[in-house]
Amino acid sequence: MSSPASAPPAPNNLKRIVAASLIGTTIEWYDFFLYGSAAALVFNKLFFPDSDPLVGTLLSFLTYAVGFAARPLGALVFGHYGDRLGRKKLLVLSLLMMGGATFAIGLLPTHATIGTAAPVLLTVLRLVQGFALGGEWGGAVLLVSEHGDARRRGFWASWPQTGAPAGQLLATGVLSLLTALLSDSAFNSWGWRIPFLLSGVLVMVGLWIRLSVDESPVFKQALAQAETRKAEAEPMPLVAVLRHHWRDVLIAMGARMAENISYYVITAFILVYATTAADLSKQPALNAVLIASAVHFAVIPAWGALSDRIGRRPVYLLGAAGVGLWMFPFFMLIDSGDFGSLLLAVTVGLVLHGAMYAPQAAFFSEMFATRMRYSGASIGAQFASVAAGAPAPLIATALLSEYDSSTPISLYVIASVLLTLVAVGVAKETRHRDLAEPMASPGEAEEASAAPRKQGARSV
């Protein structure tokens, strides 16, 4: 007998849930990545004009990294209230905050107009972006994971993950189109504002779709059970996570290192490397990221489906090892100065990255119990981003400036891969986990579910 919480939903309803999560995460990542691309291309000139070009890029990437610093705080706040109030309410709030901050960046005066106040305001708005994104990821993947058919959870939960390449595709595509149509002076003067202002329209569309979906049935069941135990003091989600899931939080953080660092080196730092070390113009670099992001989008659901068949860990380990092995060929291909080689370097890198990113949503969701799942998944994912994605373009740019070589950058990525291989290697496989089970850890869930499986009563 399937429990109500774990029974497969109607296909149309599940598709609507997936669409709401995907569109929302696409908009959130569009806003976030747009900043990263602009930091590499124009913010060094507009907000840090008195600096050496490479130093200006470092400073603009520093404000880029500030957004990552705010993500753990967003994970804590959104995770706490998401586990108490529900996934849907917090997802609506995160979308409004992210869209509002991005739209405001499009209206922001530059250094030439208001002086040092310009980079200060830019940093504040970047903090709001990071705070919102810190709460977005956990809620979006949980909404799908907790609605979806357990047998295909890896596939369905991977769709919100495609919001990252879709957002990258949209952000890079808009910037690429504008740089192709406008002169450098026009783009630097006013053209760069258009993609940020466009966010306001996208948010309205995403908000309309996100408001139309239902709350997670697994969460509603857990909330009802908590209501019947009102006499018992329920611990704060953060306290419960640290008490019962501290090992899983560390595993999630370790798993994120190679995935996060490699992604921002491949998609954000490449715009710096290709235009400075490889003597390419920004247009082919943008086009390479644009095409590769489309391939990335396509392969993520395939990797997610594979994780349903052979497990989350094998797919994740394959992606991490592949990225590590690809780093030296990656930079050698870019150094050739040929667009075809550049495209191959980025595409293969993102395909291998997808093998880590696709199963991540289901993998992290399955590590935590329902009433602490938003907090646990968000904390594990977003705290790692401070040490991984936040400084990655900054560290890579500093290494390039210091050594004038890609070798230290490759070694930096490979070091993160080794950490991820260890973290995922010691993790337990989670793909058979029933998300409705109020277990403290995947290991306990497997032990408790073994007996019902033998009796033919396993929920699927």
Side-chain angles (χ1 to χ4, degrees), residues 42 45 178-179 182-191 282:
V42 295
K45 306 179 188 73
L178 288 171
T179 55
L182 301 175
S183 65
D184 285 347
S185 60
F187 182 79
N188 292 340
S189 175
W190 55 269
K282 61 187 174 184

Side-chain angles (χ1 to χ4, degrees), residues 7-279:
N12 289 339
N13 183 53
L14 180 55
K15 289 176 183 177
R16 187 169 66 250
I17 297 294
V18 170
S21 293
L22 172 57
I23 290 173
T25 53
T26 297
I27 294 168
E28 295 263 3
W29 283 113
Y30 166 81
D31 291 348
F32 204 74
F33 287 141
L34 182 61
Y35 189 104
S37 296
L41 296 173
V42 295
F43 281 177
N44 58 333
K45 306 179 188 73
L46 298 175
F47 293 93
F48 307 98
D50 298 329
S51 304
D52 172 83
L54 199 55
V55 174
T57 301
L58 280 167
L59 291 173
S60 62
F61 271 143
L62 187 59
T63 63
Y64 173 74
V66 163
F68 287 83
R71 283 164 68 171
L73 180 59
L76 290 172
V77 174
F78 279 82
H80 173 83
Y81 288 104
D83 282 328
R84 290 295 176 91
L85 304 177
R87 304 4 179 164
K88 177 180 172 179
K89 294 183 179 70
L90 275 298
L91 284 173
V92 169
L93 179 60
S94 71
L95 188 61
L96 287 172
M97 290 182 67
M98 176 66 88
T102 305
F103 188 82
I105 290 174
L107 300 174
L108 195 64
T110 64
H111 186 279
T113 305
I114 59 173
T116 55
V120 171
L121 291 173
L122 182 68
T123 303
V124 170
L125 292 172
R126 181 60 174 173
L127 284 168
V128 175
Q129 280 191 324
F131 182 81
L133 190 63
E136 162 70 22
W137 181 85
V141 300
L142 292 189
L143 197 64
V144 176
S145 295
E146 293 178 344
H147 271 92
D149 178 358
R151 291 167 297 186
R152 304 186 68 198
R153 185 181 299 130
F155 171 73
W156 289 116
S158 71
W159 279 99
Q161 299 292 78
T162 65
Q168 180 77 68
L169 188 66
L170 189 58
T172 307
V174 172
L175 282 172
S176 181
L177 179 64
L178 288 171
T179 55
L181 295 177
L182 301 175
S183 65
D184 285 347
S185 60
F187 182 79
N188 292 340
S189 175
W190 55 269
W192 68 272
R193 298 182 183 275
I194 295 174
F196 290 90
L197 298 176
L198 180 62
S199 177
V201 178
L202 297 175
V203 166
M204 292 300 104
V205 176
L207 192 61
W208 173 69
I209 295 174
R210 189 160 276 187
L211 286 169
S212 69
V213 302
D214 296 326
E215 181 56 83
S216 154
V218 172
F219 174 80
K220 288 193 286 189
Q221 176 181 308
L223 185 62
Q225 291 171 348
E227 290 291 326
T228 65
R229 302 193 305 267
K230 273 204 168 177
E232 304 175 19
E234 188 176 20
M236 290 179 59
L238 175 60
V239 174
V241 166
L242 297 179
R243 180 183 300 166
H244 299 293
H245 288 283
W246 61 269
R247 180 178 178 274
D248 297 315
V249 169
L250 292 177
I251 288 172
M253 290 176 66
R256 283 273 283 171
M257 297 303 290
E259 177 270 307
N260 222 216
I261 288 173
S262 65
Y263 187 78
Y264 290 105
V265 167
I266 293 169
T267 60
F269 172 70
I270 189 180
L271 299 178
V272 175
Y273 187 83
T275 55
T276 56
D279 293 324

